[in-house]
Amino acid sequence: MAGNKKRKRREERPTIHPKNKYADNPPDFAFLGSLYPSFQSFIFYSRDGRPRLDWTDFNATRELTRVLLLHDLGLNWWIPDGQLCPTVPNRSNYIHWIEDLLLSDIIPKTILNGDNVRGFDIGTGANCIYPLLGASLKGWNFVGSDVTDVAVEWAERNVTNNSHISEYIEIRKVKSDDTSLLVEDPQNDQSGGPESELGLTNPMIFEGVDTNKTYYGPPILLGVVKDDEKFDFCMCNPPFFDTMEEAGLNPKTSCGGTPQEMVCPGGEKAFICRIIEDSSILKQTFRWYTTMVGRKSNMKSLIAKLREVGVSIVKTTEFVQGQTCRWGIAWSFVPPVKKILSANVVKNGNLSFMLEGIQRQYSAIHVLQSIESFFCISGASCKLNVSSFTVDITASQNHCNAILKMEELQFDKTAGFEHVRDTSISSSCLNIPMKDLCFRISVFQQIPGTLLVKVSQKQGDSQVSGVFSLILQRLEEDLKRKFCKEKV
């Protein structure tokens, strides 16, 4: 029994993105060492004969990054001592997640810049890792911004040292008032007081946010993005910590990092709240706004802030690389596409969808129990009949609301690389029924590894649209994520 539980935990744990080059082929230290003598000097062997690196040695992690970028992507790269050193597999996960967002049909596919995808990297750093990866892996165009002279200088070096992609990347210096860390509005300097880029005399404060953790730093998007610019997305690896002492609490790694890269008064929460506020003014200047989050405990409050500014869609994910976990949030002000289940048959109050590629350890009863759990967690009435493989469900208006918002409230349950699951639907898309929805869900085995899930509404209740279809779309996604093998 214990063995089964352990196996289940392993299967549900999010993993490296399947499109990531290192998903099936992690870096081979011994092989790389044989090709690059400068890297060989950092390798040691454990008792079992496996090649290892000392992750607390900044020089070792920097050399690994340099070698991976050169060997796998043909990129020439370097950063000076003390600058933040990125891990290539982890940063690649973020690029692939953004690709999933851009390829999804959650929001309309619009061509902003011809056929070229254009991204904006907030705080690109001396390493310039996201523009380098995006340009080399996907051919995307980038603007990378930063505030320090060292970061801008080395980011530009890393771009110009790769002439085959240099035309895709622009490095943009962010102007700031170093004495106050407040942004002055040049149109209002007669007031004599510091002003934010928004022309506000006070820092940005959200309801429920600790005023001691409010962002007072240089511009992030407003004041950096030009008036006539449009982007497909922005991305950010924000300063995760409130102080450098907090940043140094992990003794197991050494990835470097300057105070400007690692620290922000108020930590990542204050920094990301500023991005959210900027986005509420820039609106559809970006199709997708995204950021990485270092603390899962911040996710719920950040999603709540997105609700406050009226975003139309929110996405969440988890980035996993080895023992390191980070989270991602994406949001958009573009109205979402209204769609019913893509592969469903809707006729006479009935809907159905297929679950193909069911993993061997699961059967129809597991799927049936998961369906019951999906609705019960919202408080809906469920009656499971194991002998007939059916679940009878009665859901009120409140239950429907709870189901549709469930992924927002429980984003941390297997938030891995389902890639483009909705965590919010525009309220304009929802036609919440005033009366209870009564329906039956049946599970039929078609052939080994394939199940048919059929949904039948109660006779006389023919409302097969709007909220009902959206709920079943969530159910279909949930079941496929839990029980079906991912298609390659």
Side-chain angles (χ1 to χ4, degrees):
M1 194 74 175
N4 290 336
K5 289 183 179 180
K6 186 174 182 181
R7 181 179 61 186
K8 185 176 181 180
R9 282 198 300 271
R10 282 202 306 268
E11 290 164 355
E12 291 182 352
R13 179 177 174 79
T15 59
I16 189 170
H17 194 289
K19 293 181 183 176
N20 196 314
K21 175 182 178 65
Y22 305 102
D24 298 318
N25 299 288
D28 186 335
F29 293 167
F31 175 69
L32 292 171
S34 69
L35 297 178
Y36 303 95
S38 59
F39 180 60
Q40 178 66 49
S41 62
F42 294 105
I43 299 173
F44 67 93
Y45 289 84
S46 58
R47 292 181 180 179
D48 60 3
R50 295 184 181 181
R52 305 286 187 183
L53 282 188
D54 179 4
W55 298 108
T56 65
D57 184 349
F58 171 80
N59 291 319
T61 57
R62 176 173 58 179
E63 185 63 15
L64 173 61
T65 297
R66 185 190 75 82
V67 166
L68 287 178
L69 290 174
L70 178 60
H71 184 76
D72 293 331
L73 297 173
L75 295 174
N76 297 301
W77 178 90
W78 192 250
I79 54 172
D81 292 350
Q83 298 293 311
L84 183 65
C85 181
T87 55
V88 178
N90 182 276
R91 298 302 198 267
S92 298
N93 284 338
Y94 195 171
I95 292 290
H96 290 301
W97 182 53
I98 287 180
E99 181 187 22
D100 291 334
L101 292 171
L102 297 178
L103 292 175
S104 72
D105 56 0
I106 301 169
I107 60 176
K109 290 181 172 66
T110 57
I111 300 175
L112 298 179
N113 307 287
D115 293 328
N116 297 321
V117 171
R118 192 169 189 227
F120 190 101
D121 182 21
I122 300 169
T124 195
N127 60 68
C128 194
I129 189 67
Y130 290 129
L132 292 173
L133 288 176
S136 60
L137 289 172
K138 305 299 174 184
W140 294 345
N141 293 286
F142 265 92
V143 171
S145 69
D146 215 295
V147 70
T148 69
D149 292 335
V150 172
V152 170
E153 176 189 348
W154 278 89
E156 289 178 340
R157 286 194 194 185
N158 281 319
V159 172
T160 56
N161 286 340
N162 294 283
S163 58
H164 59 296
I165 60 170
S166 60
E167 64 180 316
Y168 298 128
I169 303 171
E170 173 196 342
I171 303 301
R172 188 173 295 178
K173 176 72 184 295
V174 177
K175 297 179 181 179
S176 67
D177 183 345
D178 294 332
T179 60
S180 66
L181 282 183
L182 281 172
V183 184
E184 294 185 5
D185 187 340
Q187 297 179 350
N188 295 309
D189 59 2
Q190 69 273 15
S191 65
E195 305 267 327
S196 76
E197 191 65 27
L198 300 176
L200 303 176
T201 56
N202 295 315
M204 312 222 172
I205 300 176
F206 287 94
E207 182 180 352
V209 174
D210 186 349
T211 55
N212 293 322
K213 294 189 175 183
T214 304
Y215 181 76
Y216 282 89
I220 296 179
L221 288 175
L222 281 170
V224 184
V225 175
K226 298 175 183 178
D227 290 341
D228 58 346
E229 287 186 307
K230 293 285 187 180
F231 293 89
D232 294 282
F233 67 90
C234 69
M235 61 193 309
C236 181
N237 187 37
F240 292 141
F241 306 104
D242 207 341
T243 66
M244 281 303 287
E245 289 75 15
E246 184 184 6
L249 291 178
N250 187 355
K252 297 182 180 180
T253 61
S254 177
C255 294
T258 64
Q260 290 83 0
E261 293 174 302
M262 305 286 285
V263 173
C264 168
E268 67 177 11
K269 188 173 179 180
F271 193 92
I272 296 171
C273 279
R274 179 57 180 265
I275 299 177
I276 294 172
E277 182 67 19
D278 283 4
S279 75
S280 71
I281 295 172
L282 292 169
K283 297 285 187 180
Q284 296 185 33
T285 299
F286 293 82
R287 293 184 63 229
W288 287 102
Y289 296 87
T290 78
T291 182
M292 191 179 288
V293 180
R295 292 183 175 181
K296 187 164 74 171
S297 59
N298 285 331
M299 290 286 282
K300 187 174 181 180
S301 61
L302 290 172
I303 291 173
K305 304 304 171 280
L306 291 169
R307 297 281 173 246
E308 290 179 22
V309 300
V311 303
S312 62
I313 199 83
V314 178
K315 305 297 301 167
T316 63
T317 196
E318 184 173 352
F319 304 112
V320 177
Q321 179 59 39
Q323 298 301 312
T324 301
C325 293
R326 294 287 184 265
W327 292 265
I329 303 181
W331 64 96
S332 180
F333 291 90
V334 178
V337 174
K338 298 179 183 180
K339 75 169 192 175
I340 305 177
L341 297 172
S342 58
N344 289 357
V345 178
V346 183
K347 185 177 180 181
N348 299 326
N350 296 332
L351 296 93
S352 63
F353 56 85
M354 302 290 287
L355 298 177
E356 299 177 300
I358 300 288
Q359 299 180 64
R360 289 185 178 181
Q361 66 267 35
Y362 299 121
S363 64
I365 190 64
H366 292 106
V367 173
L368 198 68
Q369 290 170 342
S370 185
I371 293 171
E372 180 189 31
S373 176
F374 178 87
F375 289 98
C376 280
I377 198 169
S378 70
S381 171
C382 300
K383 185 177 180 182
L384 175 67
N385 189 327
V386 177
S387 60
S388 63
F389 285 87
T390 60
V391 184
D392 290 323
I393 299 154
T394 301
S396 68
Q397 179 180 358
N398 289 337
H399 298 146
C400 292
N401 271 317
I403 292 168
L404 290 173
K405 294 181 179 178
M406 197 169 299
E407 291 193 19
E408 171 190 331
L409 300 175
Q410 299 184 13
F411 69 89
D412 53 321
K413 289 190 176 181
T414 62
F417 296 102
E418 186 61 22
H419 314 318
V420 289
R421 289 159 44 214
D422 288 338
T423 57
S424 171
I425 301 293
S426 171
S427 58
S428 63
C429 294
L430 301 182
N431 181 23
I432 305 295
M434 297 305 295
K435 61 179 181 178
D436 290 352
L437 282 174
C438 301
F439 51 97
R440 168 174 289 182
I441 299 182
S442 307
V443 178
F444 305 92
Q445 181 163 337
Q446 301 294 290
I447 58 175
T450 300
L451 297 175
L452 171 66
V453 179
K454 183 177 180 181
V455 186
S456 306
Q457 287 191 278
K458 186 177 179 180
Q459 189 172 5
D461 191 352
S462 59
Q463 189 174 341
V464 186
S465 61
V467 65
F468 190 53
S469 294
L470 288 172
I471 288 173
L472 297 182
Q473 180 181 346
R474 294 286 175 84
L475 175 64
E476 181 182 14
E477 292 171 349
D478 186 70
L479 295 177
K480 286 183 176 179
R481 184 180 69 253
K482 289 179 179 178
F483 300 111
C484 299
K485 297 176 183 177
E486 185 162 5
K487 294 181 180 180
V488 180

